[in-house]
Amino acid sequence: MSWQPGASGQIIAERAALLGKIRQFFLVRSVLEVDTPLLCSSGVTDPSIEPLTVEQGASLSAARYLQSSPEYAMKRLLAAGSGSIYQIAKAFRDGEVGPRHNPEFTLLEWYRLGYDHHQLMAEVAELICSCLGERQVQKFSYRELFVHFLKLDPFAAGIDQLRETARAHVDLSFDSDDRDLWLDLLMSHVVEPRLAAYSLCFVYDYPASQAALSRVVVRNGVDVGQRFELYVDGIEIGNGYCELTDVQEQARRFSADNEKREQLGLTEKPVDTRLLAAMQCGLPQCSGVAIGVDRLLMCLSGSTDIRGVLAFDWERC
């Protein structure tokens, strides 16, 4: 057991400088810095994210959840009239440990009123270049990448074709009728590794089934979720949405998440009724994005392991 930090003094100083650049970026754009709670009465329902839970304490009448993102509370501020806002916050996700994952990590999240996801992508590129130096920026739709790298239209292909294509590229010993599972396998094992060839790359307009909390619109005859992911040197560091503002649709997606959780044998999560109440009052049209600060620092420092940019990673706490 070591008491010493895992990151060098130079990396710790680079983190401080990076946070300063981020704050200056938003200061000159008059985007307000805010602060929201880490421990809340509800967490995300997303089946792919497992929140950490606090169940004991004199102040607790029920379990509380360490937030996997400040998103829900920030949207409540937006509904209350905050205007465009940003936050640098700690976030927590259970079971995520690896070269690019630590259960406790730092997120930069911001929301821009009146922006669509393409306008926000442009601002994200400005921020990244201000932190890392000028980079060539490229944008591809989800569909374009599948057609280019796999000669397959992800919106038109049947599940048998997706399954066969995945098995041609990845050694798999299971079967499934989950269309998104095969798409995710193809994206993570075939498409994403090839994005390392692009310095700063956005992937946008995902299948509607992967919309998460983004709006769904029709593009070129198919339903797409107006969201994007950002890759820098092949590392995914950001996820953004043209935000869903329809409270009834949001409630339906929460319910669908919990149904999927039940099917997967996961514990259902309480729905954030305060967020729904805020959306009922009126969430303004906006786009938002979350950037992994630790991964951004990895890109800046050249580190290949997140433990090298954290003062104290999960095993040192």
Side-chain angles (χ1 to χ4, degrees):
M1 178 173 60
S2 175
W3 62 265
Q4 296 177 318
S8 68
Q10 179 182 344
I11 293 295
I12 291 171
E14 286 182 2
R15 177 181 288 269
L18 177 62
L19 295 177
K21 285 183 179 180
I22 290 170
R23 287 191 162 97
Q24 182 62 28
F25 180 88
F26 290 111
L27 180 65
V28 299
R29 288 163 175 78
S30 299
V31 179
L32 180 69
E33 183 173 11
V34 298
D35 181 69
T36 59
L38 291 177
L39 196 60
C40 298
S41 57
S42 58
V44 294
T45 55
D46 188 335
S48 66
I49 298 174
E50 198 61 31
L52 285 164
T53 309
V54 177
E55 297 182 344
Q56 295 182 347
S59 301
L60 301 179
S61 58
R64 293 223 165 193
Y65 300 88
L66 287 166
Q67 296 302 285
S68 59
S69 156
E71 178 173 4
Y72 293 176
M74 291 182 77
K75 285 181 174 177
R76 289 165 60 187
L77 290 177
L78 291 166
S82 66
S84 296
I85 53 177
Y86 81 98
Q87 182 171 187
I88 299 171
K90 289 296 183 181
F92 302 83
R93 298 184 184 183
D94 195 14
E96 299 195 5
V97 181
R100 297 179 184 177
H101 295 88
N102 195 64
E104 177 182 349
F105 57 101
T106 303
L107 269 183
L108 162 65
E109 189 146 338
W110 80 93
Y111 293 86
R112 282 296 223 156
L113 266 61
Y115 278 34
D116 65 18
H117 58 314
H118 287 281
Q119 290 171 301
L120 186 56
M121 278 186 264
E123 186 168 68
V124 170
E126 289 179 27
L127 172 73
I128 300 303
C129 289
S130 73
C131 294
L132 302 183
E134 287 301 315
R135 299 263 181 146
Q136 182 180 10
V137 180
Q138 293 175 280
K139 294 167 59 178
F140 305 97
S141 73
Y142 184 93
R143 188 182 221 168
E144 285 177 323
L145 289 176
F146 271 73
V147 171
H148 180 68
F149 290 123
L150 291 162
K151 304 297 187 288
L152 178 150
D153 184 338
F155 295 93
I159 193 165
D160 288 339
Q161 185 180 3
L162 294 175
R163 184 188 292 113
E164 290 171 8
T165 305
R167 286 176 170 167
H169 289 86
V170 187
D171 184 16
L172 302 169
S173 59
F174 64 89
D175 199 1
S176 173
D177 290 327
D178 186 338
R179 181 183 180 83
D180 281 318
L181 173 64
W182 298 112
L183 287 173
D184 287 343
L185 281 169
L186 289 168
M187 185 68 179
S188 61
H189 286 74
V190 183
V191 177
E192 284 186 1
R194 302 186 186 189
L195 299 183
Y198 306 108
S199 181
L200 197 164
C201 173
F202 291 97
V203 182
Y204 65 92
D205 285 357
Y206 282 67
S209 56
Q210 300 176 28
L213 301 184
S214 67
R215 292 187 176 192
V216 173
V217 299
V218 178
R219 287 282 182 269
N220 299 317
V222 296
D223 291 340
V224 300
Q226 290 187 299
R227 54 172 288 233
F228 65 84
E229 292 190 1
L230 167 64
Y231 295 82
V232 176
D233 297 331
I235 299 176
E236 181 202 337
I237 67 168
N239 193 359
Y241 307 136
C242 185
E243 300 293 345
L244 177 67
T245 57
D246 183 330
V247 64
Q248 292 183 341
E249 173 61 15
Q250 182 64 80
R252 188 198 67 77
R253 292 190 194 180
F254 281 157
S255 179
D257 281 349
N258 271 327
E259 288 178 8
K260 185 67 176 290
R261 280 184 161 275
E262 184 178 12
Q263 293 168 9
L264 295 173
L266 302 173
T267 303
E268 291 187 26
K269 299 302 178 186
V271 168
D272 193 327
T273 54
R274 290 185 175 92
L275 172 62
L276 294 177
M279 293 179 69
Q280 183 68 52
C281 183
L283 180 66
Q285 192 278 314
C286 62
S287 287
V289 63
I291 301 290
V293 174
D294 308 309
R295 291 188 183 183
L296 184 59
L297 185 54
M298 287 174 65
C299 294
L300 180 64
S301 64
S303 176
T304 58
D305 194 311
I306 197 169
R307 291 173 294 185
V309 300
L310 299 173
F312 301 104
D313 64 77
W314 196 243
E315 295 180 352
R316 293 174 184 265
C317 297

